[in-house]
Amino acid sequence: MKTDLRYIKGASYGVAAPNSWEKRGVSLCEYCAASSFCEMATEVSGQVFTGCADIILPIAFLDRTGLHHKAFSTIRLGKAWHNRLKETPGYVALIYKTKAKQHFLGYAKVAWHHCLPKKEALVQSVENHLIIDRDGSLKEKREYLNKIIRRYYGGFDQQETKPYTVIGLRRLTDDESKRVEASWPVDSSSRD
């Protein structure tokens, strides 16, 4: 599964890839965590899909900190994730760890997401996976998260007005994950 999602955009029916992908033979299925159990991907192998309402995109995490909670949030620089998720309430995503032998950590349902200036995004990040188990006051937790964001994004984090996307996630249980895999795709008519 490919994980570089920068060209995948939100669409009224789910997500869409650039038109140039079709000419190059690149399919959204290559970026989808459901490609191994999705009926459409397995039945029409080799067909190029550039739009899909049922895609399960991977959300990357550097480590497992706070990901054991049933509900948590994550913060991302920019509005790309907000735009991808804009039209898909209840979207299912794959949680995976970068730079690890076992990447797959589970599935989560997107409970909510907001695109906000940094200061407001930090206020919304009270359940952020990096600070949810941390001791200290809420102010200390936000300061710690801000420090991590500055370290992670470096020079891209210089402007306080840059938008951030805060995503609220609810982990799926093993039973819920099995149901997702058994019933995918939800709407096979939603592909281009």
Side-chain angles (χ1 to χ4, degrees):
M1 173 182 63
K2 294 180 180 178
T3 57
D4 182 359
L5 307 177
R6 75 182 102 176
Y7 300 110
I8 297 175
K9 307 293 182 207
S12 60
Y13 54 83
V15 297
N19 292 333
S20 63
W21 280 20
E22 191 167 9
K23 293 175 190 159
R24 296 187 329 212
V26 178
S27 180
L28 276 175
C29 295
E30 297 174 41
Y31 296 81
C32 181
S35 62
S36 64
F37 55 82
C38 174
E39 290 176 14
M40 294 300 293
T42 55
E43 287 179 11
V44 290
S45 182
Q47 185 171 343
V48 173
F49 293 110
T50 57
C52 182
D54 299 323
I55 191 167
I56 298 180
L57 293 175
I59 299 180
F61 291 87
L62 292 176
D63 62 38
R64 295 173 183 260
T65 305
L67 300 181
H68 61 282
H69 287 275
K70 180 118 176 107
F72 58 90
S73 69
T74 185
I75 187 168
R76 307 295 159 127
L77 177 63
K79 55 186 178 181
W81 271 106
H82 177 70
N83 292 340
R84 283 184 202 115
L85 300 171
K86 184 168 25 181
E87 301 293 335
T88 51
Y91 178 84
V92 175
L94 171 82
I95 299 171
Y96 83 99
K97 182 179 171 198
T98 59
K99 302 176 186 173
K101 289 182 181 176
Q102 185 179 355
H103 296 288
F104 177 74
L105 299 176
Y107 295 106
K109 210 168 239 195
V110 175
W112 52 267
H113 57 92
H114 305 292
C115 189
L116 304 162
K118 183 179 181 181
K119 190 173 185 178
E120 293 173 46
L122 287 169
V123 170
Q124 289 289 320
S125 295
V126 68
E127 292 182 334
N128 185 280
H129 67 100
L130 296 172
I131 61 171
I132 198 167
D133 290 331
R134 192 167 176 83
D135 291 331
S137 69
L138 195 52
K139 181 181 178 191
E140 292 169 331
K141 289 180 177 187
R142 287 187 183 131
E143 287 171 358
Y144 177 75
L145 182 59
N146 189 32
K147 187 179 358 175
I148 290 173
I149 290 169
R150 280 197 316 266
R151 185 175 49 206
Y152 184 73
Y153 291 117
F156 295 106
D157 182 52
Q158 297 302 314
Q159 295 176 325
E160 292 293 318
T161 57
K162 280 198 177 229
Y164 280 80
T165 299
V166 183
I167 307 168
L169 298 165
R170 184 186 65 79
R171 287 291 296 260
L172 298 185
T173 65
D174 289 343
D175 286 343
E176 288 172 319
S177 296
K178 287 175 186 170
R179 282 196 299 275
V180 164
E181 291 178 1
S183 64
W184 219 257
V186 175
D187 179 11
S188 59
S189 67
S190 62
R191 294 166 188 262
D192 290 340

